[in-house]
Amino acid sequence: VVLGVDGGATSTVCICLPVFPSDHRLDAPDPPPILGRSSTGCSNHNSVGETAAREALELVIAEALHDAGRDPSAVRAVCLGVSGVNHSSDEQRITKWMRDIFPCSTKIYVRNDAVAALASGTMGKLHGCVLISGTGCIAYGFTEEGKEARAAGAGPVLGDWGSGYGIASLALTAIMKAHDGRGPSTMLTSCILETLHLSSPDEIIGWTYADSSWARIAALVPLVVSCAEAGDQVANEILINAVRELTDCVQAVVRRLNLCGEDGNNEFPVVMVGGVLEANSKWDIGEEIIKWVSQVYPRARPIRPKLEPAMGAALFAWNSVIKET
């Protein structure tokens, strides 16, 4: 079997797939059937610390294997796409954790979670650009030759303003500005106060700093969208800013990798993943980005994957095994 892990800032998912013998590859279903699946909480070491991150990865792998009726010795390859993997030292640390679980014959691939998201739209192949906007945001790209580039993904302190956290934090800031006279009044005030069961904007300060979880703030994004859809100008401007930030990320990656080619006619996928990019009835951030991508890069293929990122990671591992057979 092979394993694929998608470790985000909010949750971690592991999927177990079978590896078919080389003489049965043509008969194998596409995608392969899921033998086991499990999920747990955050595995980003920047958010929860190394100990908790390791425990989350170990737990989700153990449960997926148990669900599949397999043990670590049966795993031919595992691909872990984990948020917070930003440097070779991060890859080496997690690889070392995995070596305590799997035999030396198991191939281990550790990458940023953007790789799993990209692979979910390309059936395990690493080519093109992926844009993720959930709790955090990042754009990541690969050329067919293996060159890679990224934009954003550095967390809210360092400016991931197209993320769910970025959108919601700007909404909370707008409420405070309206309250003390530095900004225009906004429907966000009554909407968010009612949802949080608070009586005044002053209480937002205590609510915000009572828990440092980024996901807790990002969970307010649907309220920002609903206010924008109801005609609130402040909420509308926040979403427009998010679209601008996210399209800048895509453009930075495409430009650095020259994915569109010298003449601009190369075809490449743009995979879009994350709760912020999911469809809404009126104000659809993902659709606005697709319109922009199609105008700037006519040969780009925007993809909203039907497979979850953990499946993308598993298919990447699956492809790595198949290439050897």
Side-chain angles (χ1 to χ4, degrees), residues 146-267:
K147 184 179 178 182
E148 58 189 88
R150 62 178 283 174
V157 175
L158 299 177
D160 287 354
W161 300 117
S163 67
Y165 179 94
I167 291 169
S169 65
L170 287 177
L172 294 175
T173 300
I175 293 173
M176 300 311 297
K177 285 185 174 182
H179 180 57
D180 61 23
R182 289 178 294 142
S185 60
T186 169
M187 189 186 302
L188 290 165
T189 301
S190 59
C191 182
I192 290 181
L193 286 179
E194 181 179 353
T195 300
L196 299 181
H197 306 292
L198 303 177
S199 58
S200 76
D202 289 326
E203 294 181 20
I204 288 178
I205 300 172
W207 180 89
T208 300
Y209 295 112
D211 185 340
S212 60
S213 168
W214 300 347
R216 178 170 169 264
I217 304 294
L220 300 175
V221 168
L223 302 178
V224 183
V225 173
S226 65
C227 287
E229 290 179 343
D232 185 77
Q233 188 58 36
V234 173
N236 191 63
E237 287 295 329
I238 290 172
L239 298 186
I240 289 173
N241 177 72
V243 170
R244 187 180 302 117
E245 291 282 345
L246 294 172
T247 54
D248 283 349
C249 291
V250 173
Q251 189 163 31
V253 168
V254 173
R255 186 188 303 119
R256 288 171 62 191
L257 296 179
N258 195 27
L259 289 175
C260 61
E262 297 297 335
D263 57 3
N265 288 324
N266 284 7
E267 184 177 328

Side-chain angles (χ1 to χ4, degrees), residues 20-312:
F20 293 90
S22 58
D23 57 345
H24 287 86
R25 282 171 56 188
L26 296 178
D27 299 325
D30 186 13
I34 295 175
L35 298 179
R37 185 185 189 279
S38 64
S39 62
T40 189
C42 175
S43 56
N44 183 329
H45 69 276
N46 293 322
S47 300
V48 297
E50 288 188 19
T51 299
R54 178 173 183 169
E55 290 175 350
L57 292 173
E58 291 176 345
L59 174 64
V60 82
I61 287 171
E63 290 185 344
L65 285 173
H66 181 269
D67 190 39
R70 303 294 197 279
D71 59 54
S73 65
V75 179
R76 297 277 302 277
V78 54
C79 175
L80 300 101
V82 185
S83 63
V85 172
N86 301 311
H87 191 267
S88 60
S89 61
D90 300 322
E91 297 176 9
Q92 292 165 6
R93 181 189 308 113
I94 297 177
T95 299
K96 185 177 180 181
W97 297 347
M98 294 300 106
R99 280 294 167 218
D100 291 337
I101 300 174
F102 299 106
C104 59
S105 59
T106 301
K107 290 185 173 296
I108 298 174
Y109 304 92
V110 179
R111 309 300 291 268
N112 187 276
D113 63 329
V115 171
L118 174 61
S120 72
T122 60
M123 297 301 290
K125 299 177 182 178
L126 297 187
H127 171 240
C129 178
V130 62
L131 176 66
I132 304 175
S133 183
T135 299
C137 69
I138 189 172
Y140 214 112
F142 287 85
T143 66
E144 292 182 318
E145 296 73 32
K147 184 179 178 182
E148 58 189 88
R150 62 178 283 174
V157 175
L158 299 177
D160 287 354
W161 300 117
S163 67
Y165 179 94
I167 291 169
S169 65
L170 287 177
L172 294 175
T173 300
I175 293 173
M176 300 311 297
K177 285 185 174 182
H179 180 57
D180 61 23
R182 289 178 294 142
S185 60
T186 169
M187 189 186 302
L188 290 165
T189 301
S190 59
C191 182
I192 290 181
L193 286 179
E194 181 179 353
T195 300
L196 299 181
H197 306 292
L198 303 177
S199 58
S200 76
D202 289 326
E203 294 181 20
I204 288 178
I205 300 172
W207 180 89
T208 300
Y209 295 112
D211 185 340
S212 60
S213 168
W214 300 347
R216 178 170 169 264
I217 304 294
L220 300 175
V221 168
L223 302 178
V224 183
V225 173
S226 65
C227 287
E229 290 179 343
D232 185 77
Q233 188 58 36
V234 173
N236 191 63
E237 287 295 329
I238 290 172
L239 298 186
I240 289 173
N241 177 72
V243 170
R244 187 180 302 117
E245 291 282 345
L246 294 172
T247 54
D248 283 349
C249 291
V250 173
Q251 189 163 31
V253 168
V254 173
R255 186 188 303 119
R256 288 171 62 191
L257 296 179
N258 195 27
L259 289 175
C260 61
E262 297 297 335
D263 57 3
N265 288 324
N266 284 7
E267 184 177 328
F268 62 94
V270 179
V271 180
M272 299 173 56
V273 176
V276 170
L277 304 180
E278 293 177 358
N280 296 296
S281 58
K282 297 179 182 177
W283 225 119
D284 191 328
I285 294 175
E287 187 60 34
E288 291 301 315
I289 293 171
I290 288 174
K291 290 178 183 177
W292 177 87
V293 168
S294 299
Q295 290 175 356
V296 178
Y297 304 112
R299 294 277 288 166
R301 291 185 291 109
I303 299 172
R304 279 175 157 164
K306 296 180 180 179
L307 303 178
E308 60 182 311
M311 175 62 92

